[in-house]
């Protein structure tokens, strides 16, 4: 077995939690040697969202090719791999299983350690692939399935201080886009409309309890649907741009204010923006402006590292590699995997 103290450890990582099949080779938890992604967006567009069974089948079709391509682009060989990592959860169980079976098989064949990795830890540590992290720091995780505020008091330590009580922000974007007759994924369409709109339809903000860091977007989604229904009943023409802008401003104001309040309350040195919705231009601009006023460093990965990818899994898996905490080959997929639970020592080392 390769020494766990080697900072040049080469991790081959696999990500199949939803509708992207991705394989990456990452050295030392920070240096991307390859990061290949096969997207299924065009396939799922016709259904208006991800169909789990189709996603799983497509992962099966391309996973071997993705592994071969990642190795080839890295300039290394399989014999150079120190460990194999894979997303253990959260995610779609069928999709997760495809990556897990491939990763277990490869780890066994190469006789190298196997590391089950948390998907959200990956999104957070995607920032480490392009920035130096300073602790304590605060992570705002925004994606299709997650909206969370996570405090990192030290490397590899995760404390959930706020989460959505209903829809994730990405879910809300897709549902509003669907109501406005835009195809899946809807987020980019709403973002573009909002940025181009001159008028705005004011919508409510869900602040919840005064001391809460939790989020709620179901009421905002209902408010958008109410505007659409009222406009239709009156026989008027809907200003979709003004509605999109109102929706986006409501979402971003709550996300920004709660994130900044959390940074202050916990003495965070940096704010990390993570997840697929981190690619949203409106949210990026609002956070950057507010962080600049507050003197808080804002870290945001480039677009290709915001959406699901295996390089981020390689970065997070390195946390376990450094501690020599490996995963037993009887590991199961965990669709509702706890981030704090993953951070605890693994059962096999």
């Amino acid at each position: 077995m390769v020494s766990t103290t080697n900072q040049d450890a080469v991790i081959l990582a696999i990500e199949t939690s939803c509708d992207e099949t991705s394989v990456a080779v990452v050295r030392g938890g920070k240096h991307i040697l390859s990061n290949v992604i096969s997207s299924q967006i065009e396939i799922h567009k016709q259904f208006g969202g991800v169909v789990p069974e189709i996603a799983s089948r497509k992962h099966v079709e391309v996973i071997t090719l993705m592994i071969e391509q990642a190795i080839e682009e890295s300039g290394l060989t399989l014999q150079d791999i120190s460990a194999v990592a894979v997303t253990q959860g959260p995610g779609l169980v069928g999709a997760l299983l495809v990556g897990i079976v491939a990763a277990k098989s490869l780890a066994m064949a190469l006789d190298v350690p196997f590391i089950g990795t948390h998907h959200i830890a990956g999104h957070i540590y995607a920032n480490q692939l392009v920035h130096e992290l300073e602790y304590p720091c605060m992570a705002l995780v925004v994606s299709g399935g997650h909206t969370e505020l996570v405090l990192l008091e030290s490397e590899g330590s995760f404390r959930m201080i706020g989460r959505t009580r209903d829809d994730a922000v990405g879910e809300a974007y897709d549902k509003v886009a669907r109501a406005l007759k835009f195809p899946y994924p809807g987020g980019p369409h709403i973002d573009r409309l909002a940025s181009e709109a001159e008028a705005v339809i004011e919508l409510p903000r869900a602040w919840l309890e005064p001391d809460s860091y939790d989020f709620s977007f179901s009421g905002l989604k209902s408010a958008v649907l109410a505007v659409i229904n009222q406009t239709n009943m009156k026989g008027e023409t809907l200003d979709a741009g003004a509605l999109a802008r109102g929706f986006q401003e409501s979402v971003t104001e709550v996300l920004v204010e709660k994130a900044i309040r959390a940074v202050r309350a916990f003495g965070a040195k940096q704010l990390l923006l993570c997840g697929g919705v981190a690619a949203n231009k409106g949210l990026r601009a609002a956070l950057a402006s507010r962080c600049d006023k507050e003197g808080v460093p804002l870290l945001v990965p480039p677009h290709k590292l915001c959406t699901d990818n295996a390089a981020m899994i390689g970065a997070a898996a390195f946390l376990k590699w450094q501690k020599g905490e490996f995963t037993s080959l009887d590991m199961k997929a965990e669709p509702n995997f706890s981030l704090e639970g993953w951070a605890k020592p693994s059962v096999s080392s």
Side-chain angles (χ1 to χ4, degrees):
M1 186 177 292
V2 184
S3 169
T4 58
T5 59
N6 182 3
Q7 293 298 306
D8 290 325
V10 176
I11 296 178
L12 184 145
I14 297 174
E15 154 63 27
T16 61
S17 66
C18 191
D19 61 337
E20 276 93 16
T21 312
S22 182
V23 181
V25 179
V26 179
R27 187 190 299 277
K30 295 182 179 181
H31 308 291
I32 302 173
L33 305 185
S34 65
N35 188 26
V36 298
I37 304 170
S38 175
S39 174
Q40 301 176 15
I41 285 180
E42 292 303 316
I43 296 167
H44 296 285
K45 255 184 188 177
Q46 59 187 304
F47 304 104
V50 177
V51 180
E53 191 169 329
I54 294 175
S56 302
R57 194 178 306 137
K58 292 300 175 182
H59 287 313
V60 172
E61 290 175 6
V62 302
I63 187 66
T64 301
L65 177 62
M66 291 291 99
I67 293 172
E68 292 173 351
Q69 188 177 337
I71 288 293
E72 182 179 348
E73 291 188 12
S74 73
L76 303 179
T77 68
L78 285 172
Q79 284 63 47
D80 297 312
I81 301 301
S82 309
V84 176
V86 67
T87 303
Q88 182 177 356
L92 303 174
V93 64
L96 290 168
L97 283 170
V98 177
I100 288 171
V101 169
K104 285 182 179 180
S105 301
L106 192 56
M108 289 179 66
L110 298 177
D111 192 25
V112 297
F114 174 64
I115 305 173
T117 308
H118 197 282
H119 184 74
I120 298 305
H123 275 307
I124 292 171
Y125 273 86
N127 279 282
Q128 187 169 267
L129 294 165
V130 287
H131 304 290
E132 286 295 328
L133 304 190
E134 294 182 30
Y135 301 95
C137 55
M138 186 68 61
L140 173 60
V141 182
V142 282
S143 69
H146 301 271
T147 305
E148 296 155 350
L149 276 168
V150 183
L151 173 65
L152 284 76
E153 295 174 300
S154 59
E155 184 178 68
S157 138
F158 304 95
R159 178 181 165 194
M160 195 76 66
I161 66 164
R163 68 183 75 213
T164 184
R165 296 182 183 179
D166 39 60
D167 290 347
V169 65
E171 264 183 297
Y173 266 93
D174 284 339
K175 288 177 180 178
V176 168
R178 192 178 304 125
L180 291 173
K181 311 299 183 185
F182 286 112
Y184 170 85
H189 298 288
I190 300 297
D191 191 22
R192 175 183 54 80
L193 268 186
S195 67
E196 296 172 352
E198 294 183 4
V200 59
I201 295 174
E202 293 294 337
L203 294 169
R205 274 68 166 155
W207 296 110
L208 304 178
E209 301 83 10
D211 60 345
S212 175
Y213 294 106
D214 284 351
F215 303 95
S216 173
F217 297 107
S218 63
L220 175 59
K221 175 196 65 183
S222 297
V224 169
L225 295 176
V227 171
I228 295 172
N229 291 335
Q230 289 167 13
T231 302
N232 290 338
M233 285 190 293
K234 293 176 182 177
E236 298 174 350
T237 301
L238 178 70
D239 186 341
L243 184 56
R245 180 178 168 186
F247 169 76
Q248 179 144 298
E249 287 184 358
S250 177
V251 168
T252 55
E253 183 179 342
V254 172
L255 289 174
V256 169
E257 290 304 318
K258 292 208 172 195
I260 292 298
R261 181 156 59 85
V263 166
R264 288 182 187 146
F266 293 93
K269 296 179 180 178
Q270 299 170 326
L271 176 61
L272 284 56
L273 184 58
C274 328
V277 182
N280 182 284
K281 293 178 182 177
L283 176 58
R284 282 182 180 234
L287 264 180
S289 174
R290 188 60 192 280
C291 285
D292 186 55
K293 289 179 183 176
E294 298 288 336
V296 176
L298 174 65
L299 307 188
V300 188
H303 185 277
K304 65 182 179 181
L305 295 178
C306 290
T307 52
D308 292 350
N309 67 92
M312 70 182 196
I313 300 303
F318 189 71
L319 300 171
K320 293 289 189 179
W321 168 270
Q322 287 178 299
K323 299 175 183 178
E325 295 175 1
F326 307 132
T327 309
S328 169
L329 288 173
D330 63 4
M331 179 200 88
K332 298 178 181 178
E334 299 284 352
N336 301 306
F337 205 11
S338 158
L339 181 57
E340 294 98 329
W342 176 76
K344 294 175 183 178
S346 302
V347 297
S348 175
S349 58

